[in-house]
Amino acid sequence: MAISKQYLKSKPVCKVTFTVPAEDAKEVTVVGCFNEWDAKANPLKKLKNGTFKGAVSLDADNSYEFRYLVDGTFANESEADDQVWNDFAAAENSVLKL
């Protein structure tokens, strides 16, 4: 899994690209506080090499909790800026710091 960040010069926004290798998966989405944990808001597109990829533009100077939803199962990002415990989910969430 991977995250890349591209800060825009014209606005205080960061384009975050999520890449998830999941050859056998049918559907991968990214859910987090930036989309109210909506599994339909940010689906990632499956590429020919079996990797899922997608981008989200987020306000800079914030941090965001998120997770991947791979065929209905939550997964964290190993390259996230941090991991934080979430009592509601009773699990750790990945954290983006922009």
Side-chain angles (χ1 to χ4, degrees):
M1 294 186 239
I3 299 173
S4 66
K5 301 173 187 174
Q6 181 181 4
Y7 291 89
L8 303 182
K9 292 179 182 176
S10 59
K11 301 187 257 187
V13 171
C14 181
K15 180 181 174 185
V16 181
T17 302
F18 300 94
T19 306
V20 180
E23 270 188 54
D24 298 330
K26 291 184 170 97
E27 183 178 55
V28 177
T29 62
V30 62
V31 295
C33 59
F34 51 84
N35 65 10
E36 298 181 8
W37 301 91
D38 182 355
K40 295 181 178 147
N42 298 101
L44 304 183
K45 183 178 180 181
K46 189 168 190 175
L47 305 178
K48 289 180 183 178
N49 65 3
T51 300
F52 286 79
K53 193 171 187 178
V56 178
S57 293
L58 301 171
D59 292 333
D61 300 321
N62 284 308
S63 61
Y64 302 91
E65 290 184 32
F66 75 99
R67 295 183 90 186
Y68 297 116
L69 196 54
V70 182
D71 287 342
T73 302
F74 284 107
N76 282 342
E77 171 59 68
S78 58
E79 295 183 18
D81 298 319
D82 201 0
Q83 303 289 328
V84 65
W85 181 259
N86 181 290
D87 286 332
F88 180 77
E92 282 193 334
N93 288 337
S94 299
V95 178
L96 273 174
K97 294 179 181 177
L98 306 178

